[in-house]
Amino acid sequence: MTRAAPDIIGSTVWFAAPAAMVPDTVRHGIGQIGKWLSLGVHFGGVDVTVGSVLGALLLFAAFLVVARVVKGLLHGYVERHEHINRSSVYTVERLLHYLLMVVGALWALSIAGIPMAKMTVFAGALGVGLGFGLQAIFNNFVSGLILLFERSLKVGDFVELSSGLHGHVRDINIRATRVSTNDNIDILVPNSEFVNGRVVNWTLREVSRRIKVPFGVAYGTDKELVKKAALEAAAEVPFTLSMEGPRAPQVWLVGFGDSSLDFQLVVWLDADATRHPGSVTAAYNWALHTALEKYEIEVPFPQRDLHVRSWATPVTGPRPGPVGGGAGENDAVRDVVRDIAETRADQAGDSSARDSGAPPAAS
């Protein structure tokens, strides 16, 4: 019993010593910070202080970090499992992001000292705002949710709008969908345009598609020779699905023009080539011109009678030579092949191929 008192006294001194060792300036600074954090306003039975606002901001920032981590984990899971449907994972990632943002915002408001019971007036004002200025934003947000759930439009699809815009769907965000053209131009399209307007989804089903390439020849040309040349041209382009069977290329005589017989080369394409309609058409046009020249088939052009009143002095000099690559190179074929390889690299999660710096394909 006689030794207990010194232990108690010693322990008291032990715990009190650090407080005594703290400098007065530090304690004064801590007190000032506490006073600043306790500053705030009081309105309508709600107390909002500087400290509560900072805590709310830190909490919401933590939810942003969690949303970013979840997105990274989902992307890593997709890269490790190639059989996973990427569009489904993208839908889950978007919904989780929205859920985390809503929960984080509500929790942050509660931490800031604004309980949900006090939000009735704000909700009423928000409803009036949706009826006026925020109507378009709310419409686009709901349209984005419809696109995610309906799955008629997915990330990676090649679409064509009624305005003539066509490209790949890259992101479906809250307000707009990012569409990237074959010229590597990103265009933001409001989500409501996909829901209310007419949209052609070329890749809704991963199947082949048929295109019609028009061309004309001079009157008097043998139709069978034209057909032979056009089929040889189709065989030269690597995107032709098949040269035999029910989906073999066909040559149609579709009209009699003012100065030409109008034909169409009807070709079935593989699923990858349908994403590049402009470049693919250019590839067939190149092959058609080469084949027609091979068989000396004349490509007509409009002719007009010209009456000359006087002759000018002719200008002599060397004619300019050809500009560009070597003869026989089909640039459109090369561009489409490169685009298909880059698209497959993107689908496989190969970021190095995506950032290689290759110029985009023109269509």
Side-chain angles (χ1 to χ4, degrees):
M1 295 298 294
T2 57
R3 299 180 58 184
D7 293 339
I8 296 175
I9 296 174
S11 61
T12 303
V13 174
W14 173 262
F15 288 110
M21 295 173 59
V22 177
D24 293 339
T25 56
V26 174
R27 284 186 292 177
H28 179 71
I30 294 175
Q32 285 295 114
I33 294 175
K35 291 181 180 179
W36 291 340
L37 293 178
S38 61
L39 294 177
V41 294
H42 176 81
F43 59 93
V46 176
D47 293 323
V48 178
T49 63
V50 175
S52 63
V53 172
L54 290 177
L57 293 177
L58 291 176
L59 179 64
F60 189 73
F63 271 86
L64 289 176
V65 173
V66 171
R68 182 64 61 87
V69 171
V70 170
K71 179 180 180 180
L73 292 176
L74 290 176
H75 286 185
Y77 180 79
V78 171
E79 292 179 359
R80 292 192 302 269
H81 302 81
E82 297 182 356
H83 64 280
I84 298 297
N85 191 328
R86 291 177 175 267
S87 60
S88 300
V89 176
Y90 182 83
T91 302
V92 172
E93 183 264 321
R94 288 282 88 187
L95 294 178
L96 285 177
H97 178 80
Y98 296 153
L99 179 61
L100 288 173
M101 292 299 98
V102 171
V103 173
L106 296 179
W107 196 353
L109 289 174
S110 179
I111 293 296
I114 307 176
M116 292 306 300
K118 302 293 184 180
M119 296 293 293
T120 54
V121 177
F122 177 76
L126 181 62
V128 175
L130 291 176
F132 292 97
L134 300 180
Q135 182 178 5
I137 297 177
F138 188 73
N139 184 22
N140 289 323
F141 174 72
V142 175
S143 299
L145 295 179
I146 292 175
L147 294 177
L148 291 175
F149 281 105
E150 190 180 32
R151 296 177 56 78
S152 59
L153 185 70
K154 305 181 296 296
V155 173
D157 284 348
F158 187 85
V159 297
E160 181 178 354
L161 302 180
S162 57
S163 60
L165 170 67
H166 58 271
H168 297 83
V169 177
R170 298 302 184 188
D171 295 302
I172 302 177
N173 297 314
I174 294 178
R175 188 191 65 85
T177 296
R178 182 166 65 94
V179 177
S180 179
T181 67
N182 288 338
D183 294 327
N184 203 25
I185 299 175
D186 292 331
I187 300 176
L188 299 179
V189 182
N191 294 329
S192 58
E193 187 170 342
F194 290 97
V195 176
N196 301 325
R198 187 186 67 179
V199 181
V200 178
N201 192 337
W202 288 75
T203 54
L204 181 61
R205 296 177 293 119
E206 292 295 331
V207 294
S208 57
R209 296 286 187 270
R210 188 175 72 174
I211 66 169
K212 301 173 182 177
V213 183
F215 66 99
V217 300
Y219 278 100
T221 307
D222 184 3
K223 298 187 295 298
E224 295 299 327
L225 185 61
V226 174
K227 181 177 181 180
K228 179 180 179 182
L231 292 179
E232 287 186 6
E236 290 296 324
V237 180
F239 316 120
T240 303
L241 183 64
S242 174
M243 293 300 298
E244 299 178 354
R247 294 191 172 182
Q250 297 177 325
V251 181
W252 296 353
L253 176 59
V254 295
F256 300 93
D258 294 337
S259 58
S260 67
L261 293 172
D262 298 331
F263 287 86
Q264 284 185 351
L265 174 60
V266 182
V267 189
W268 285 89
L269 305 177
D270 55 35
D272 292 327
T274 57
R275 301 174 182 268
H276 310 276
S279 300
V280 169
T281 302
Y284 282 104
N285 283 330
W286 184 283
L288 277 171
H289 187 265
T290 302
L292 295 177
E293 283 188 336
K294 173 184 176 182
Y295 290 98
E296 298 181 352
I297 299 175
E298 180 183 355
V299 178
F301 55 89
Q303 300 182 12
R304 299 290 184 270
D305 292 334
L306 181 62
H307 300 276
V308 181
R309 293 181 179 272
S310 61
W311 293 99
T313 304
V315 179
T316 60
R319 295 183 178 180
V323 179
E329 295 183 2
N330 195 332
D331 295 337
V333 172
R334 185 173 65 252
D335 288 348
V336 175
V337 170
R338 183 183 60 198
D339 283 350
I340 291 175
E342 291 179 354
T343 301
R344 291 178 177 174
D346 288 342
Q347 294 175 352
D350 188 358
S351 59
S352 61
R354 194 164 54 243
D355 299 332
S356 61
S363 62

